[in-house]
PDB file of all heavy atoms in Angstrom:
ATOM      1  N   GLN A 269      16.379  14.901   4.389  1.00 98.00           N
ATOM      2  CA  GLN A 269      15.327  14.974   5.397  1.00 98.00           C
ATOM      3  C   GLN A 269      13.991  14.488   4.729  1.00 98.00           C
ATOM      4  O   GLN A 269      13.834  14.585   3.573  1.00 98.00           O
ATOM      5  CB  GLN A 269      15.089  16.380   5.899  1.00 98.00           C
ATOM      6  CG  GLN A 269      16.476  16.929   6.459  1.00 98.00           C
ATOM      7  CD  GLN A 269      16.330  18.459   6.787  1.00 98.00           C
ATOM      8  OE1 GLN A 269      15.316  19.028   6.808  1.00 98.00           O
ATOM      9  NE2 GLN A 269      17.525  19.029   7.014  1.00 98.00           N
ATOM     10  N   GLU A 292      19.278  12.759   7.822  1.00 98.00           N
ATOM     11  CA  GLU A 292      20.057  13.709   8.543  1.00 98.00           C
ATOM     12  C   GLU A 292      19.716  13.599  10.064  1.00 98.00           C
ATOM     13  O   GLU A 292      20.585  13.808  10.918  1.00 98.00           O
ATOM     14  CB  GLU A 292      19.860  15.120   8.091  1.00 98.00           C
ATOM     15  CG  GLU A 292      20.864  16.056   8.688  1.00 98.00           C
ATOM     16  CD  GLU A 292      20.806  17.484   8.128  1.00 98.00           C
ATOM     17  OE1 GLU A 292      20.201  17.664   7.072  1.00 98.00           O
ATOM     18  OE2 GLU A 292      21.498  18.355   8.748  1.00 98.00           O
ATOM     19  N   TYR A 293      18.454  13.390  10.412  1.00 98.00           N
ATOM     20  CA  TYR A 293      18.193  13.190  11.834  1.00 98.00           C
ATOM     21  C   TYR A 293      17.024  12.206  12.152  1.00 98.00           C
ATOM     22  O   TYR A 293      16.884  11.773  13.293  1.00 98.00           O
ATOM     23  CB  TYR A 293      17.868  14.498  12.559  1.00 98.00           C
ATOM     24  CG  TYR A 293      16.723  15.365  11.944  1.00 98.00           C
ATOM     25  CD1 TYR A 293      15.445  15.109  12.340  1.00 98.00           C
ATOM     26  CD2 TYR A 293      17.004  16.329  11.005  1.00 98.00           C
ATOM     27  CE1 TYR A 293      14.389  15.810  11.784  1.00 98.00           C
ATOM     28  CE2 TYR A 293      15.960  17.075  10.480  1.00 98.00           C
ATOM     29  CZ  TYR A 293      14.640  16.825  10.844  1.00 98.00           C
ATOM     30  OH  TYR A 293      13.634  17.567  10.291  1.00 98.00           O
ATOM     31  N   LYS A 296      17.515   8.916  14.081  1.00 98.00           N
ATOM     32  CA  LYS A 296      18.129   8.933  15.449  1.00 98.00           C
ATOM     33  C   LYS A 296      17.089   8.578  16.513  1.00 98.00           C
ATOM     34  O   LYS A 296      15.871   8.595  16.255  1.00 98.00           O
ATOM     35  CB  LYS A 296      18.730  10.337  15.683  1.00 98.00           C
ATOM     36  CG  LYS A 296      19.887  10.668  14.732  1.00 98.00           C
ATOM     37  CD  LYS A 296      20.307  12.140  14.798  1.00 98.00           C
ATOM     38  CE  LYS A 296      21.375  12.420  13.778  1.00 98.00           C
ATOM     39  NZ  LYS A 296      21.641  13.896  13.670  1.00 98.00           N
ATOM     40  N   HIS A 329      21.390   5.876  10.338  1.00 98.00           N
ATOM     41  CA  HIS A 329      22.194   6.732  11.217  1.00 98.00           C
ATOM     42  C   HIS A 329      21.254   7.359  12.281  1.00 98.00           C
ATOM     43  O   HIS A 329      20.338   8.069  11.879  1.00 98.00           O
ATOM     44  CB  HIS A 329      22.833   7.916  10.375  1.00 98.00           C
ATOM     45  CG  HIS A 329      23.564   8.912  11.219  1.00 98.00           C
ATOM     46  ND1 HIS A 329      24.804   8.707  11.712  1.00 98.00           N
ATOM     47  CD2 HIS A 329      23.153  10.138  11.663  1.00 98.00           C
ATOM     48  CE1 HIS A 329      25.156   9.835  12.378  1.00 98.00           C
ATOM     49  NE2 HIS A 329      24.169  10.687  12.367  1.00 98.00           N
ATOM     50  N   TRP A 333      23.495   7.492  20.050  1.00 98.00           N
ATOM     51  CA  TRP A 333      24.322   8.736  20.067  1.00 98.00           C
ATOM     52  C   TRP A 333      23.979   9.573  21.266  1.00 98.00           C
ATOM     53  O   TRP A 333      22.815   9.871  21.426  1.00 98.00           O
ATOM     54  CB  TRP A 333      24.007   9.475  18.733  1.00 98.00           C
ATOM     55  CG  TRP A 333      24.917  10.731  18.496  1.00 98.00           C
ATOM     56  CD1 TRP A 333      26.181  10.904  19.040  1.00 98.00           C
ATOM     57  CD2 TRP A 333      24.523  11.947  17.853  1.00 98.00           C
ATOM     58  NE1 TRP A 333      26.657  12.153  18.644  1.00 98.00           N
ATOM     59  CE2 TRP A 333      25.644  12.802  17.904  1.00 98.00           C
ATOM     60  CE3 TRP A 333      23.356  12.381  17.200  1.00 98.00           C
ATOM     61  CZ2 TRP A 333      25.642  14.115  17.344  1.00 98.00           C
ATOM     62  CZ3 TRP A 333      23.401  13.660  16.606  1.00 98.00           C
ATOM     63  CH2 TRP A 333      24.543  14.500  16.720  1.00 98.00           C
ATOM     64  N   ASN A 377      27.644   6.080  17.734  1.00 98.00           N
ATOM     65  CA  ASN A 377      28.197   7.313  17.156  1.00 98.00           C
ATOM     66  C   ASN A 377      28.878   8.104  18.269  1.00 98.00           C
ATOM     67  O   ASN A 377      28.283   8.318  19.369  1.00 98.00           O
ATOM     68  CB  ASN A 377      27.008   8.128  16.617  1.00 98.00           C
ATOM     69  CG  ASN A 377      27.475   9.317  15.696  1.00 98.00           C
ATOM     70  OD1 ASN A 377      28.478   9.269  15.082  1.00 98.00           O
ATOM     71  ND2 ASN A 377      26.585  10.340  15.702  1.00 98.00           N
ATOM     72  N   GLU A 378      30.130   8.458  18.052  1.00 98.00           N
ATOM     73  CA  GLU A 378      30.866   9.415  18.910  1.00 98.00           C
ATOM     74  C   GLU A 378      30.982   8.964  20.370  1.00 98.00           C
ATOM     75  O   GLU A 378      30.727   9.730  21.285  1.00 98.00           O
ATOM     76  CB  GLU A 378      30.166  10.791  18.879  1.00 98.00           C
ATOM     77  CG  GLU A 378      30.085  11.384  17.493  1.00 98.00           C
ATOM     78  CD  GLU A 378      29.494  12.796  17.462  1.00 98.00           C
ATOM     79  OE1 GLU A 378      29.063  13.295  18.497  1.00 98.00           O
ATOM     80  OE2 GLU A 378      29.441  13.367  16.294  1.00 98.00           O
ATOM     81  N   ASN A 421      30.985   4.984  14.141  1.00 99.00           N
ATOM     82  CA  ASN A 421      31.096   6.255  13.433  1.00 99.00           C
ATOM     83  C   ASN A 421      31.612   7.351  14.383  1.00 99.00           C
ATOM     84  O   ASN A 421      31.157   7.445  15.531  1.00 99.00           O
ATOM     85  CB  ASN A 421      29.683   6.662  12.932  1.00 99.00           C
ATOM     86  CG  ASN A 421      29.615   7.736  11.901  1.00 99.00           C
ATOM     87  OD1 ASN A 421      30.286   7.656  10.860  1.00 99.00           O
ATOM     88  ND2 ASN A 421      28.893   8.794  12.177  1.00 99.00           N
ATOM     89  N   GLN A 455      33.346  10.715   9.890  1.00 98.00           N
ATOM     90  CA  GLN A 455      32.349  11.736   9.529  1.00 98.00           C
ATOM     91  C   GLN A 455      32.853  12.678   8.468  1.00 98.00           C
ATOM     92  O   GLN A 455      32.106  13.076   7.586  1.00 98.00           O
ATOM     93  CB  GLN A 455      31.924  12.496  10.815  1.00 98.00           C
ATOM     94  CG  GLN A 455      31.134  11.623  11.791  1.00 98.00           C
ATOM     95  CD  GLN A 455      30.633  12.427  12.949  1.00 98.00           C
ATOM     96  OE1 GLN A 455      30.734  13.653  13.039  1.00 98.00           O
ATOM     97  NE2 GLN A 455      30.073  11.699  13.964  1.00 98.00           N
ATOM     98  N   HIS A 457      33.810  15.944   8.651  1.00 98.00           N
ATOM     99  CA  HIS A 457      33.481  17.387   8.670  1.00 98.00           C
ATOM    100  C   HIS A 457      34.852  18.094   8.604  1.00 98.00           C
ATOM    101  O   HIS A 457      35.455  18.304   9.655  1.00 98.00           O
ATOM    102  CB  HIS A 457      32.685  17.752   9.911  1.00 98.00           C
ATOM    103  CG  HIS A 457      31.392  17.006   9.980  1.00 98.00           C
ATOM    104  ND1 HIS A 457      30.357  17.231   9.113  1.00 98.00           N
ATOM    105  CD2 HIS A 457      30.922  16.003  10.820  1.00 98.00           C
ATOM    106  CE1 HIS A 457      29.332  16.443   9.397  1.00 98.00           C
ATOM    107  NE2 HIS A 457      29.651  15.730  10.496  1.00 98.00           N
ATOM    108  N   GLU A 486      29.842  11.697   6.534  1.00 99.00           N
ATOM    109  CA  GLU A 486      29.104  12.972   6.706  1.00 99.00           C
ATOM    110  C   GLU A 486      29.962  14.119   6.088  1.00 99.00           C
ATOM    111  O   GLU A 486      30.171  15.136   6.682  1.00 99.00           O
ATOM    112  CB  GLU A 486      28.871  13.230   8.179  1.00 99.00           C
ATOM    113  CG  GLU A 486      28.182  12.119   8.937  1.00 99.00           C
ATOM    114  CD  GLU A 486      27.909  12.385  10.382  1.00 99.00           C
ATOM    115  OE1 GLU A 486      28.054  13.516  10.855  1.00 99.00           O
ATOM    116  OE2 GLU A 486      27.586  11.433  11.114  1.00 99.00           O
ATOM    117  N   TRP A 533      27.021  15.381   3.642  1.00 98.00           N
ATOM    118  CA  TRP A 533      26.112  15.715   4.735  1.00 98.00           C
ATOM    119  C   TRP A 533      25.074  16.815   4.333  1.00 98.00           C
ATOM    120  O   TRP A 533      25.051  17.888   4.895  1.00 98.00           O
ATOM    121  CB  TRP A 533      26.806  16.030   6.056  1.00 98.00           C
ATOM    122  CG  TRP A 533      25.972  15.724   7.223  1.00 98.00           C
ATOM    123  CD1 TRP A 533      25.512  16.617   8.247  1.00 98.00           C
ATOM    124  CD2 TRP A 533      25.362  14.475   7.624  1.00 98.00           C
ATOM    125  NE1 TRP A 533      24.737  15.939   9.146  1.00 98.00           N
ATOM    126  CE2 TRP A 533      24.680  14.592   8.799  1.00 98.00           C
ATOM    127  CE3 TRP A 533      25.464  13.175   7.051  1.00 98.00           C
ATOM    128  CZ2 TRP A 533      23.943  13.592   9.445  1.00 98.00           C
ATOM    129  CZ3 TRP A 533      24.713  12.147   7.691  1.00 98.00           C
ATOM    130  CH2 TRP A 533      23.995  12.335   8.841  1.00 98.00           C
ATOM    131  N   TRP A 541      24.208  21.958   7.954  1.00 97.00           N
ATOM    132  CA  TRP A 541      24.051  22.203   9.427  1.00 97.00           C
ATOM    133  C   TRP A 541      25.122  23.131   9.914  1.00 97.00           C
ATOM    134  O   TRP A 541      25.040  23.754  10.986  1.00 97.00           O
ATOM    135  CB  TRP A 541      24.120  20.828  10.136  1.00 97.00           C
ATOM    136  CG  TRP A 541      25.504  20.287  10.143  1.00 97.00           C
ATOM    137  CD1 TRP A 541      26.260  19.882   9.075  1.00 97.00           C
ATOM    138  CD2 TRP A 541      26.340  20.020  11.307  1.00 97.00           C
ATOM    139  NE1 TRP A 541      27.499  19.398   9.451  1.00 97.00           N
ATOM    140  CE2 TRP A 541      27.570  19.437  10.808  1.00 97.00           C
ATOM    141  CE3 TRP A 541      26.179  20.148  12.680  1.00 97.00           C
ATOM    142  CZ2 TRP A 541      28.685  19.098  11.676  1.00 97.00           C
ATOM    143  CZ3 TRP A 541      27.227  19.774  13.535  1.00 97.00           C
ATOM    144  CH2 TRP A 541      28.395  19.258  13.007  1.00 97.00           C
TER     145      TRP A 541
HETATM  146  C1  XIL B1016      23.375  16.927  12.841  1.00 51.51           C
HETATM  147  C2  XIL B1016      22.298  17.319  11.848  1.00 51.51           C
HETATM  148  O1  XIL B1016      22.874  17.786  10.661  1.00 51.51           O
HETATM  149  C3  XIL B1016      21.434  18.409  12.473  1.00 51.51           C
HETATM  150  O2  XIL B1016      20.369  18.669  11.595  1.00 51.51           O
HETATM  151  C4  XIL B1016      20.915  17.906  13.777  1.00 51.51           C
HETATM  152  O3  XIL B1016      20.213  18.829  14.363  1.00 51.51           O
HETATM  153  C5  XIL B1016      22.034  17.545  14.701  1.00 51.51           C
HETATM  154  O4  XIL B1016      22.797  16.574  14.068  1.00 51.51           O
HETATM  155  N1  XIL B1016      27.635  14.390  13.714  1.00 51.51           N
HETATM  156  C6  XIL B1016      26.646  13.489  13.443  1.00 51.51           C
HETATM  157  C7  XIL B1016      25.393  13.941  12.819  1.00 51.51           C
HETATM  158  O5  XIL B1016      26.851  12.298  13.611  1.00 51.51           O
HETATM  159  O6  XIL B1016      24.273  13.232  13.261  1.00 51.51           O
HETATM  160  C8  XIL B1016      25.173  15.391  13.081  1.00 51.51           C
HETATM  161  O7  XIL B1016      24.052  15.858  12.340  1.00 51.51           O
HETATM  162  C9  XIL B1016      26.377  16.254  12.748  1.00 51.51           C
HETATM  163  C10 XIL B1016      27.561  15.859  13.590  1.00 51.51           C
END
Side-chain angles (χ1 to χ4, degrees):
Q269 303 174 12
E292 188 172 353
Y293 57 85
K296 294 170 184 170
H329 174 79
W333 183 31
N377 191 29
E378 303 183 357
N421 193 57
Q455 291 184 7
H457 298 294
E486 306 180 13
W533 206 239
W541 71 299

